[in-house]
Amino acid sequence: MAETFKNFIGGEWVDAASGKRFENRNPADWNEVVGTHPDSDAGDIERAVLAAAKAFKTWRLVPAPKRAEILFRAGQIMAERKEELARLMTREMGKVLAETRGDVQEGIDTAFYSAGEGRRMYGETTNAEMPNKFAMSIRLPVGVCGMITPWNFPMAIPTWKMFPALVCGNTVVLKPASDTPATAAKLVGVLADAGFPPGVVNLVTGGGGRVGTPLIEHPSVRLISFTGSSEVGRRIAATCGEKLKLCSLELGGKNPMIVMEDADLDLALEGALWGAFGTTGQRCTATSRIILHEKIADSFTERLVERARKLRLGNGLEPGSEVGPLVNKGQRESVHGYVQIGLKDGAKLLTGGKAAAGPGLENGWFYEPTVFGSVTPGMRIAREEIFGPVVAILTVKSLEGAIEVANDTDYGLSSSIYTRDVNRAHIAIRDIEAGITYVNGPTIGAEVHLPFGGVKDTGNGHRESGRQVLDVFSEWKSIYVDYSGKLQKAQIDDVEIQ
Ligand code: NAD
């Protein structure tokens, strides 16, 4: 049964003022309408931002440990509703149930981790250079934060942004991706049930241009936190730059996995399959390039192709399904377009390369797990983010060569190396240009208490998760308290040492 979802503004569930709605369909069975959602516009954003600005006046004054108590409650509610949330997520974006449970779990972890900050959120006390003077720095909230999120982690990514922002004392307007508004609405429902006051969290659904743009441009929004493609991120950064807004960007990836000849190859094979085809390859951290040492390249490729062919595609709600569909028709066309580009550029299609057919797959956006061999670093399939179940295999002669190929991309999010040689592992850790390096693990699997983000075109220098995310959602204030009772001039007055 299709559910009717609403926006959440100022503590009320409301329709778009225009009354317009859009449909959210199941990518594993496009005949199923999961729900309908408000197709909002600039007017709805205006109301949400005003509600958030009004709420900020009081929310910022609530002691952080009290803000955190509400967040702890939210984490508990999410844990109680985990199965229901995961099943809805699988219906709206397709990834298999084990993975949507993981997505919700990441949100729960983020709730508890961020809530812990309510009793930390440390500033610094330090020494002043003048006598009888006290110096310290503290974190203060930024204000109204606009958040724009993608569809591949419909729960985890909004929580990575909202939870630290809220515990820091900010208020939020969330615009989720149009492919996954239902999970976002349920998450906001959890936050309302947990007790966040009206206006502290607001949700407005609709298209990127019609809803995202007015949110970014609104003068009362001080900060934009965006996760999505580098193309859209670049435009958002330009607008934020012009308006001098704070802007945190988490963008695309073209993540390499290096497999050296001394590696545990069985382990590397499991990692390659999980990294390349988990979430149907639709992860910013997906393994999209496998860089093999020439000594093991042929045998490893053969085994990878054999295993890729055996992966069970299907509706993510059915036990036994290992790979779900792509998120929508456009995504399948885009992935297939890249397969054609790979062929044209001279790569060798070893398996896959077409829409998947078979019982239970007729009405979904399924695509065969695809492996390309004979890929060279200059080819577009080795350079551009495909965001689908397509992996490119490149062959190298040495560790240095592998690292050079790994770094030969505009992106720098995740990376991995399989080797038993600790020296090689450390050289890779030092020299691969990426925000994350795994040793003997695939490129996916981040944990919420470490910083998450990338270098080069993957972002603009900020990190989510870990305690580093607090730097995004708070402003530093330095405080000097002079208790000398006289005017002391820093850098000018000499301090007499008796
Ligand atoms: P997208 O850039 O198309 O959309 C992301 C969000 O931006 C959506 O909510 C969309 O509606 C909105 N949007 C689109 N155009 C806009 C505009 N002009 N103004 C304002 N908002 C706009 O990305 P997607 O297809 O939803 O997600 C896939 C991309 O996200 C991939 O590139 C992937 O690598 C990236 N991603 C990055 C991370 C990370 O943490 N680095 C995590 C997940 C996904």
Side-chain angles (χ1 to χ4, degrees):
M1 247 277 286
E3 203 174 329
T4 303
F5 290 88
K6 298 197 172 190
N7 285 336
F8 191 66
I9 298 178
E12 308 275 338
W13 292 101
V14 293
D15 283 314
S18 68
K20 288 186 188 162
R21 306 188 73 76
F22 66 93
E23 281 181 352
N24 179 18
R25 284 175 182 263
N26 183 342
D29 176 3
W30 58 64
N31 293 318
E32 186 197 355
V33 179
V34 178
T36 66
H37 297 261
D39 192 0
S40 315
D41 58 28
D44 302 299
I45 282 291
E46 176 70 19
R47 278 180 282 283
V49 172
L50 289 182
K54 185 169 169 228
F56 179 65
K57 291 187 180 142
T58 44
W59 180 243
R60 74 183 184 88
L61 300 175
V62 174
K66 289 284 158 202
R67 299 196 288 250
E69 280 173 21
I70 306 177
L71 201 47
F72 271 121
R73 259 200 307 281
Q76 282 162 345
I77 298 171
M78 287 167 79
E80 284 157 19
R81 297 186 194 162
K82 180 171 169 179
E83 191 59 20
E84 167 204 333
L85 293 168
R87 296 187 88 83
L88 176 67
M89 196 192 301
T90 291
R91 282 171 60 218
E92 78 168 339
M93 65 75 68
K95 65 185 172 186
V96 298
L97 204 47
E99 293 189 33
T100 51
R101 286 183 188 129
D103 195 325
V104 180
Q105 186 59 46
E106 203 162 330
I108 296 166
D109 296 343
T110 303
F112 294 142
Y113 181 75
S114 303
E117 282 303 335
R119 288 188 185 272
R120 277 190 303 267
M121 221 184 287
Y122 299 128
E124 291 176 324
T125 56
T126 183
N127 301 294
E129 63 188 45
M130 310 303 292
N132 298 320
K133 194 174 168 188
F134 177 80
M136 65 179 171
S137 60
I138 59 169
R139 291 179 184 276
L140 290 173
V142 172
V144 178
C145 299
M147 300 179 172
I148 301 177
T149 52
W151 44 264
N152 63 337
F153 279 86
M155 176 72 69
I157 293 177
T159 65
W160 287 358
K161 298 181 185 306
M162 287 203 285
F163 292 179
L166 292 168
V167 83
C168 284
N170 303 287
T171 57
V172 167
V173 178
L174 170 67
K175 191 221 88 74
S178 301
D179 281 305
T180 51
T183 305
K186 293 289 178 189
L187 171 61
V188 167
V190 166
L191 299 183
D193 291 350
F196 283 98
V200 170
V201 178
N202 303 274
L203 170 79
V204 182
T205 56
R210 276 161 62 89
V211 179
T213 303
L215 179 60
I216 295 158
E217 292 182 344
H218 200 291
S220 299
V221 175
R222 275 299 305 143
L223 179 152
I224 294 292
S225 174
F226 171 81
T227 299
S229 59
S230 295
E231 185 194 343
V232 174
R234 202 169 266 124
R235 271 186 274 152
I236 289 177
T239 307
C240 289
E242 194 187 320
K243 295 182 183 299
L244 292 180
K245 283 180 200 271
L246 306 179
C247 174
S248 163
L249 305 172
E250 297 291 340
L251 309 174
K254 189 71 190 170
N255 313 290
M257 171 191 286
I258 297 172
V259 185
M260 297 306 296
E261 79 283 16
D262 64 82
D264 177 339
L265 297 177
D266 294 340
L267 187 68
L269 183 63
E270 297 306 323
L273 287 161
W274 175 230
F277 303 122
T279 322
T280 322
Q282 302 168 112
R283 287 192 185 214
C284 50
T285 52
T287 305
S288 54
R289 295 178 294 151
I290 301 181
I291 302 171
L292 298 176
H293 190 279
E294 60 181 5
K295 283 195 188 145
I296 48 96
D298 289 348
S299 56
F300 189 87
T301 303
E302 207 174 294
R303 292 177 71 197
L304 178 70
V305 167
E306 192 192 320
R307 289 285 301 276
R309 284 196 183 122
K310 287 191 185 141
L311 287 169
R312 283 188 304 271
L313 274 60
N315 187 319
L317 289 181
E318 281 161 22
S321 292
E322 291 174 299
V323 181
L326 290 164
V327 75
N328 58 36
K329 185 176 184 218
Q331 193 65 18
R332 188 161 80 174
E333 284 169 2
S334 162
V335 167
H336 193 59
Y338 269 108
V339 168
Q340 304 312 308
I341 289 167
L343 288 169
K344 196 165 129 284
D345 285 353
K348 196 164 161 202
L349 183 62
L350 302 176
T351 188
K354 57 182 190 302
L361 307 181
E362 305 85 353
N363 297 328
W365 306 118
F366 293 94
Y367 201 84
E368 290 185 356
T370 299
V371 181
F372 270 110
S374 306
V375 179
T376 53
M379 289 181 188
R380 283 181 63 191
I381 58 165
R383 311 194 70 77
E384 297 176 23
E385 185 180 49
I386 300 174
F387 226 58
V390 179
V391 69
I393 296 194
L394 300 101
T395 306
V396 293
K397 293 181 192 314
S398 63
L399 176 65
E400 292 68 31
I403 292 173
E404 197 178 319
V405 170
N407 288 342
D408 190 5
T409 164
D410 292 335
Y411 296 106
L413 181 52
S414 188
S415 58
S416 106
I417 180 164
Y418 280 79
T419 178
R420 287 186 170 112
D421 181 335
V422 68
N423 298 354
R424 285 172 152 182
H426 275 276
I427 289 168
I429 291 168
R430 185 192 63 197
D431 291 347
I432 295 179
E433 296 164 359
I436 307 169
T437 296
Y438 294 88
V439 177
N440 295 329
T443 57
I444 64 180
E447 301 181 22
V448 306
H449 52 297
L450 278 83
F452 182 93
V455 302
K456 303 200 278 190
D457 287 2
T458 290
N460 62 345
H462 297 288
R463 291 291 182 273
E464 294 196 322
S465 297
R467 61 190 162 75
Q468 289 75 4
V469 72
L470 298 177
D471 286 335
V472 173
F473 292 113
S474 59
E475 294 270 24
W476 281 108
K477 176 173 275 193
S478 299
I479 298 148
Y480 303 92
V481 181
D482 191 321
Y483 54 96
S484 68
K486 59 183 183 203
L487 175 64
Q488 301 196 88
K489 299 186 198 123
Q491 293 93 39
I492 293 172
D493 289 350
D494 263 347
V495 177
E496 270 183 46
I497 300 168
Q498 311 259 322

